[in-house]
């Protein structure tokens, strides 16, 4: 008799990702230039045993990440993969260090190695949820570099994807935001999300039938947090009004939006050089001729290259810059985050540090 269907589902999802990791790792070993970290220009560290990649699981102790850890431990034993685990202690609740130690013990009991708890300080920039996320990813990045990990698995589910799409919609964001979370993201595709096609209940059921203890974070039911309100009030209200299947539909929307956004980004990258003069300045007439979706992407790329932080550059900023092209009436310079300004001079759009 085979495993419970929920257990089989999480193991299959992880197995597929591990096969992808193994194939990509083999390519990097054969072609070392693929191990470059990308924009930071640093070569990614390879594991001490170059024939065996290390895959870490980011585990909070919740049902999603505990199910993910169990599936990684099971599948890694059958493949040429070393498996470890990291838990991040955000220091936001009393006893968080004790819970982190308990998670480490559970990961070690699964024979994951290395395992460690990393304590972080959560700032205030962008609000509590964004600040905690930034601190968490910084810690995971550092742990991956420290251990020479090829990939870090994250336990985001289809339900998380649906919530992300709705949050982007509420902000009035474009299709890149509506595309939600990618199956692979980060430098060289470091972060992998095997469960994006699985619902939250499948992960919880997998923990139940395997007798895996889980910790339910009280922040996940705290109405002070936007995502918590959406999860416990917003989505249930939508399903009551529209019927079942809202989560699945939103997840499909994310994938369709991602495909469209990727295509438009490619188009914008190709158009970027075509709208510049011999000195590299952006020509307003050529920008005006581009489709709006492509033009705004060119403008965003230029602003980021000039020093505007991507995370602080919102649609309203790009719309104001776009008006220098489409609604020119002698406007003053547009101030952007990162002390960057955009202004029109002699038929050219200049985006620079102010």
């Amino acid at each position: 008799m085979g495993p419970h269907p929920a257990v089989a589902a999480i193991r299959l999802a992880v197995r597929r990702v591990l096969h992808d990791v193994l194939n990509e790792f083999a390519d990097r070993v054969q072609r070392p230039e693929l191990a470059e970290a990308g924009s930071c220009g640093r070569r990614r560290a390879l594991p001490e045993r170059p024939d065996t990649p290390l895959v870490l699981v980011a585990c909070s102790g919740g049902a999603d990440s505990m199910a993910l850890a169990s599936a990684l431990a099971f599948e890694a034993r059958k493949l040429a993969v070393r498996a470890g685990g990291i838990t991040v202690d955000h220091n936001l609740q009393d006893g968080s260090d004790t819970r982190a130690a308990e998670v480490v013990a559970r990961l070690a009991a699964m024979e994951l190695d290395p395992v460690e708890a990393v304590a972080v300080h959560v700032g205030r920039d962008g609000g509590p949820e964004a600040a905690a996320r930034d601190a968490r990813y910084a810690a995971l990045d550092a742990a991956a570099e420290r251990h020479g990990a090829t990939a870090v698995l994250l336990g985001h589910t289809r339900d998380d994807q649906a919530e992300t799409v709705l949050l982007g919609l509420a902000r009035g964001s474009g299709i890149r935001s509506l595309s939600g979370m990618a199956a692979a993201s980060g430098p060289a595709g470091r972060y992998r999300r095997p469960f994006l096609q699985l619902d939250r209940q499948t992960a919880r059921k997998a923990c139940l039938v395997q007798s895996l203890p889980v910790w339910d974070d009280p922040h996940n039911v705290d109405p002070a947090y936007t995502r918590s309100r959406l999860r416990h009030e917003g989505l249930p209200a939508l399903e009551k009004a529209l019927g079942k299947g809202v989560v699945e539909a939103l997840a499909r929307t994310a994938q369709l939006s991602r495909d469209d956004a990727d295509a438009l980004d490619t188009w914008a990258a190709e158009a970027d050089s075509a709208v510049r003069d011999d000195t590299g300045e952006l020509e307003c007439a050529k920008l005006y001729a581009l489709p709006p979706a492509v033009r705004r992407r060119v403008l965003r790329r230029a602003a980021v290259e000039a020093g505007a932080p991507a995370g602080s550059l919102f649609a309203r900023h790009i719309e104001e810059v776009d008006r220098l092209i489409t609604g020119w009436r002698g406007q003053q310079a547009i101030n952007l985050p990162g002390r960057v300004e955009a202004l029109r001079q002699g038929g050219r759009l200049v985006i620079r540090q102010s």
Side-chain angles (χ1 to χ4, degrees), residues 64 157-159 195 197-204 247-248:
D64 301 342
T157 64
R158 186 171 62 192
D159 302 80
F195 289 176
Q197 300 304 316
L198 300 178
D199 61 33
R200 192 173 287 139
Q201 287 305 312
T202 297
R204 185 168 288 275
V247 168
E248 293 85 345

Side-chain angles (χ1 to χ4, degrees), residues 180-327:
M181 296 174 286
S185 63
R190 167 180 290 159
Y191 293 108
R192 308 297 174 107
R193 298 176 175 87
F195 289 176
L196 286 183
Q197 300 304 316
L198 300 178
D199 61 33
R200 192 173 287 139
Q201 287 305 312
T202 297
R204 185 168 288 275
K205 185 66 174 178
C207 290
L208 179 64
V209 299
Q210 295 179 101
S211 299
L212 294 175
V214 299
W215 173 65
D216 290 316
D217 187 346
H219 284 170
N220 290 336
V221 295
D222 187 343
Y225 296 96
T226 304
R227 187 177 286 269
S228 175
R229 295 195 301 274
L230 179 60
R231 179 174 302 175
H232 298 287
E233 300 173 23
L235 271 172
L238 282 174
E239 292 200 331
K240 182 178 180 180
L242 303 176
K244 295 293 184 181
V246 170
V247 168
E248 293 85 345
L250 288 168
R252 285 196 301 274
T253 296
Q255 185 56 59
L256 293 171
S257 297
R258 182 166 296 280
D259 292 342
D260 289 348
D262 288 346
L264 286 168
D265 285 348
T266 299
W267 188 353
E270 294 170 350
D272 186 85
S273 59
V275 297
R276 295 180 183 272
D277 62 18
D278 293 339
T279 66
E281 296 290 348
L282 293 165
E283 296 189 61
C284 294
K286 292 180 179 178
L287 284 168
Y288 185 85
L290 292 175
V294 178
R295 181 174 62 246
R296 286 192 290 267
R297 279 168 167 78
V298 172
L299 298 178
R300 179 179 176 82
R301 283 167 55 93
V304 171
E305 289 173 359
S312 301
L313 199 59
F314 301 132
R316 66 177 185 273
H317 296 127
I318 303 305
E319 289 169 1
E320 289 298 319
V321 176
D322 195 40
R323 289 192 184 96
L324 296 176
I325 308 299
T326 62

Side-chain angles (χ1 to χ4, degrees), residues 60-73:
S60 66
D64 301 342
S65 59
M66 284 298 293
L68 183 58
S70 71
L72 174 61

Side-chain angles (χ1 to χ4, degrees), residues 37 40 167:
C40 64
L167 289 170

